[in-house]
Amino acid sequence: MKSHILTAAIAAAAIAPVSARATDLTFASSLPQVHFWVGGFMDPFADVMEDSADVTFTRFYAGEITSVGRELDALTGGVVDAVAPLLAPYHEGAFPLTDVTQLPTIGTSSVEQTEAFLDLMASDVELADGKTFYEYEIGSKDIHAWPVAATAAYSISLAGMEPASADALSGIPLRSGSALHTVFLEELGVTPVTMSAAASYEALARGTIKGTILSVGDWKSYSLQDVLSYTITGVAVGHWGSYLAISDAAWSDLSDAERETWTETAHEIARQNAEGIDRQEGEVRQASEADGGVFVDVADIPADLRSRIEQASVNTWTRWIEETESAGHPGLETARLWAELTRKHGGALPEGVEAYLQSRD
């Protein structure tokens, strides 16, 4: 997929002096090309860079040279020069603040939360020790990073059941893909089962788990539309945030013009990727509904189940903040900043979150 981006940075790169040789970078993903972060971000980004700068990429996909949760090691160990996406939530303890994007929200989309994520990475608000979000999360890791598009809203999806009450969910096993999703599922009263999305198809088909927390558009990458039959919409169990990242060593090989082009291209492709993710969300939902899949807005589910989801959403914010603070990280200030950016871009917070944030003054 070729991009039509025309930015000042790219134009500047086009007239910059040509170096003696092109910089060839090893660019890898732990995910397959069908995934929206690979076919919709990694490849278009690389295509534009190759067209606009004296840079070429040798591309690897689907974990050929780096696997999920090992992207940072591959970068700092010199195995690869760049990765997309660096799946921050799978790097346990390494990116303590990035999970903030997974906090529950109301009425948010990929486009909205991608803009919020871009603002978060660019923010000059000091969160702790004089450090901004970017400086705290990225600055000491010998890499440079930019947001890929945020996923669409993560939803509660079930296989072969339609809960008639909150008690119907009590104790059932649901797939969790991150520490924060585990917190939400615990607060919901179900049994979290940690596994990657790629492993969940077989577990759902066998009945080992009864559902998952995942964006609907993500089903396409794992054929989950074949096994998931009931989804609660209208409340987002957050949006997964991850990064395009390049090692410091590879970054130093780029010219100033190439670095400017890289940054501008990353931002533009993230925005285009977000639009594509929202489209894919609608397409996968439409196809599922045509095959009998049921999608119910949270406002239309049984009152006690709605109340439990709403309370679990608020409790997830409070637990994440308190546990992050207990670990020595600025959870409260990060959550406040994310709440502000979410509202700025048209999203809403679960009722009770704002009161909690204000009560901590």
Side-chain angles (χ1 to χ4, degrees):
M1 180 175 70
K2 294 286 185 179
S3 173
H4 57 276
I5 296 172
L6 294 174
T7 64
I10 291 175
I15 62 174
V18 178
S19 63
R21 62 177 179 83
T23 301
D24 184 60
L25 302 177
T26 302
F27 199 10
S29 180
S30 58
L31 302 177
Q33 278 185 287
V34 69
H35 196 280
F36 51 61
W37 277 334
V38 184
F41 183 93
M42 176 183 169
D43 280 337
F45 172 83
D47 290 344
V48 173
M49 285 297 300
E50 289 179 335
D51 287 345
S52 307
D54 199 21
V55 176
T56 61
F57 295 94
T58 301
R59 309 180 200 188
F60 296 88
Y61 307 101
E64 289 177 305
I65 58 173
T66 184
S67 58
V68 170
R70 300 304 302 272
E71 297 97 350
L72 181 60
D73 290 341
L75 286 168
T76 57
V79 175
V80 299
D81 296 311
V83 297
L86 189 160
L87 295 162
Y90 286 123
H91 292 69
E92 186 173 356
F95 298 90
L97 303 183
T98 301
D99 279 359
V100 73
T101 67
Q102 296 179 20
L103 290 171
T105 52
I106 303 294
T108 46
S109 66
S110 175
V111 166
E112 292 168 345
Q113 294 307 84
T114 296
E115 291 295 341
F117 197 14
L118 288 165
D119 281 358
L120 182 66
M121 291 285 277
S123 172
D124 61 3
V125 173
E126 295 179 1
L127 301 178
D129 303 324
K131 294 180 179 180
T132 64
F133 178 88
Y134 185 95
E135 291 166 341
Y136 200 97
E137 286 290 89
I138 308 299
S140 63
K141 294 182 172 65
D142 298 324
I143 63 173
H144 293 260
W146 300 259
V148 297
T151 66
Y154 268 49
S155 301
I156 304 166
S157 297
L158 305 171
M161 65 178 296
E162 298 185 13
S165 67
D167 289 343
L169 289 184
S170 296
I172 69 167
L174 295 186
R175 175 255 175 189
S176 168
S178 70
L180 198 141
H181 289 156
T182 295
V183 169
F184 175 82
L185 292 177
E186 288 173 349
E187 293 297 328
L188 191 60
V190 306
T191 300
V193 179
T194 302
M195 66 174 64
S196 68
S200 60
Y201 178 92
E202 184 175 355
L204 286 162
R206 291 185 174 186
T208 306
I209 58 175
K210 299 297 184 183
T212 185
I213 301 293
L214 194 65
S215 70
V216 173
D218 229 343
W219 295 2
K220 183 177 180 179
S221 300
Y222 314 107
S223 300
L224 297 184
Q225 64 271 23
D226 297 336
V227 289
L228 294 171
S229 57
Y230 178 91
T231 298
I232 299 171
T233 66
V235 57
V237 190
H239 298 252
W240 192 289
S242 290
Y243 302 109
L244 159 69
I246 184 173
S247 68
D248 280 354
W251 186 247
S252 68
D253 286 340
L254 301 180
S255 68
D256 288 344
E258 288 166 346
R259 293 175 188 174
E260 185 176 359
T261 301
W262 182 292
T263 297
E264 292 289 338
T265 302
H267 291 170
E268 293 293 339
I269 294 295
R271 291 184 170 101
Q272 291 183 15
N273 191 200
E275 293 173 356
I277 287 172
D278 281 338
R279 284 195 302 271
Q280 183 167 313
E281 182 87 354
E283 291 164 0
V284 173
R285 172 172 174 168
Q286 185 176 20
S288 176
E289 288 177 322
D291 288 337
V294 176
F295 294 79
V296 182
D297 190 271
V298 67
D300 298 324
I301 63 177
D304 64 329
L305 178 56
R306 180 172 65 252
S307 178
R308 184 177 291 188
I309 290 172
E310 291 170 347
Q311 190 60 55
S313 297
V314 176
N315 291 351
T316 299
W317 277 76
T318 60
R319 274 188 60 181
W320 183 81
I321 291 168
E322 291 166 6
E323 291 174 10
T324 303
E325 292 277 329
S326 294
H329 305 297
L332 178 60
E333 293 309 312
T334 304
R336 283 174 167 163
L337 178 56
W338 183 245
E340 176 186 334
L341 295 174
T342 293
R343 291 191 298 266
K344 172 185 173 182
H345 291 288
L349 308 179
E351 186 175 355
V353 169
E354 188 61 42
Y356 172 79
L357 295 175
Q358 292 178 359
S359 74
R360 291 292 304 270
D361 287 334

